[in-house]
Amino acid sequence: YVPDAPLDGHATVDLPAAQSHYLRSVMRRGPGNAVVVFNGRDGEWRATVERLAKAGGRLLCRDRLRPQAAEAGPWLLFAPLKRGPVDLVAEKATELGVARLEPVLTRFTASTRVNTDRLRALAVEAAEQCRRLTVPEVAAPVALARIAETWPAERRLLVLAEHGDATPAARAFAEAAGAPAALLVGPEGGLADSELDALRQLDFVTMVRLGPRILRAETAAIAGLSLWQTLSGD
Ligand code: SAM
């Protein structure tokens, strides 16, 4: 992923040291080898390695493999979890086509500090690994109580809640499929009753249940996004 690279025609793409190192030392590529490059705007291009050195490298674009795809994936709003689970969520959500990762601070959120730079780096790595043409946006953390203030009218918010009154997921996702949507998953300690009551009042919210058991937050996020991807024919 080279975000600011020009990829038209036989453009040359300068690689920063880290990516040059990755191609050279991890992927064992060298001059003349073919690689794939994308910038998140112009699609995916086949390129040939001109040089890979410690200080950086250079690729020569050859032909376009795939045009840029519009980013139609869901958003994922998630309460920052401990480091391991939150990294897992960022990586798996990227693989499952999320367009935007938005940390939300809730009453029982374990850690209010969110390292968005680390999440962004994980999202880039996952996007390269799964050959997406875009990298999800990683938003700054927002207080759950504030999301209604700026919520886009056309986007449905599916709140993952383990409570019996929530709509079974298959129905809720089928009803929301095809339109812009977002999933919200709570922290390890769950969403507070007052937060759930406030969310239920919002007309853009559907409470969604993923079966009868209490899942870890990261499990719920991955299960919800997988179901979304399946039902929306992604
Ligand atoms: N309230 C739970 C408890 O009493 O143990 C703790 C919350 S659970 C570990 C973390 C989050 O995962 C929840 O806030 C919810 O968003 C999601 N979740 C867990 N189980 C779920 C289920 N069966 N259906 C939908 N969401 C679920």
Side-chain angles (χ1 to χ4, degrees):
Y1 172 56
V2 187
D4 47 7
L7 295 179
D8 47 348
H10 286 243
T12 54
V13 175
D14 289 324
L15 287 182
Q19 285 184 308
S20 180
H21 166 74
Y22 173 75
L23 283 178
R24 182 164 160 255
S25 309
V26 176
M27 303 297 281
R28 318 298 296 168
R29 296 294 193 275
N33 285 160
V35 293
V36 170
V37 61
F38 71 104
N39 60 8
R41 284 188 323 280
D42 304 327
E44 183 184 68
W45 287 69
R46 186 194 325 277
T48 308
V49 172
E50 282 203 338
R51 73 166 188 280
L52 295 173
K54 268 209 166 118
R58 172 162 282 192
L59 308 176
L60 176 64
C61 283
R62 292 290 179 202
D63 47 355
R64 187 153 82 159
L65 296 172
R66 284 189 292 166
Q68 184 59 36
E71 188 46 74
W75 294 359
L76 177 68
L77 283 69
F78 60 101
L81 307 164
K82 292 191 196 75
R83 177 168 175 150
V86 82
D87 290 2
L88 187 78
V89 166
E91 192 178 77
K92 300 310 165 201
T94 301
E95 291 173 59
L96 289 166
V98 151
R100 177 183 166 93
L101 288 164
E102 184 164 318
V104 281
L105 304 179
T106 71
R107 175 105 173 274
F108 301 138
T109 295
S111 50
T112 52
R113 277 179 330 103
V114 183
N115 185 333
T116 45
D117 289 343
R118 194 181 78 245
L119 296 183
R120 205 165 280 118
L122 285 164
V124 166
E125 221 172 289
E128 289 174 336
Q129 177 271 324
C130 70
R131 285 188 65 173
R132 280 181 53 144
L133 292 180
T134 56
V135 175
E137 187 192 341
V138 179
V142 65
L144 180 60
R146 308 276 312 271
I147 59 162
E149 290 167 16
T150 55
W151 192 261
E154 78 285 356
R155 194 169 288 269
R156 193 111 207 104
L157 176 58
L158 303 170
V159 174
L160 298 182
E162 64 276 15
H163 307 81
D165 64 337
T167 308
R171 180 151 53 90
F173 281 60
E175 283 165 5
L183 272 66
L184 184 149
V185 61
E188 291 94 337
L191 294 171
D193 289 345
S194 56
E195 289 171 327
L196 291 163
D197 291 344
L199 284 166
R200 286 190 187 96
Q201 307 309 316
L202 299 172
D203 59 5
F204 58 80
V205 164
T206 304
M207 310 301 279
V208 179
R209 194 174 185 218
L210 292 164
R213 287 171 291 280
I214 292 181
L215 309 173
R216 282 182 180 275
E218 58 273 28
T219 310
I222 293 166
L225 288 171
S226 309
L227 192 54
W228 169 269
Q229 185 183 40
T230 310
L231 291 176
S232 60
D234 181 10

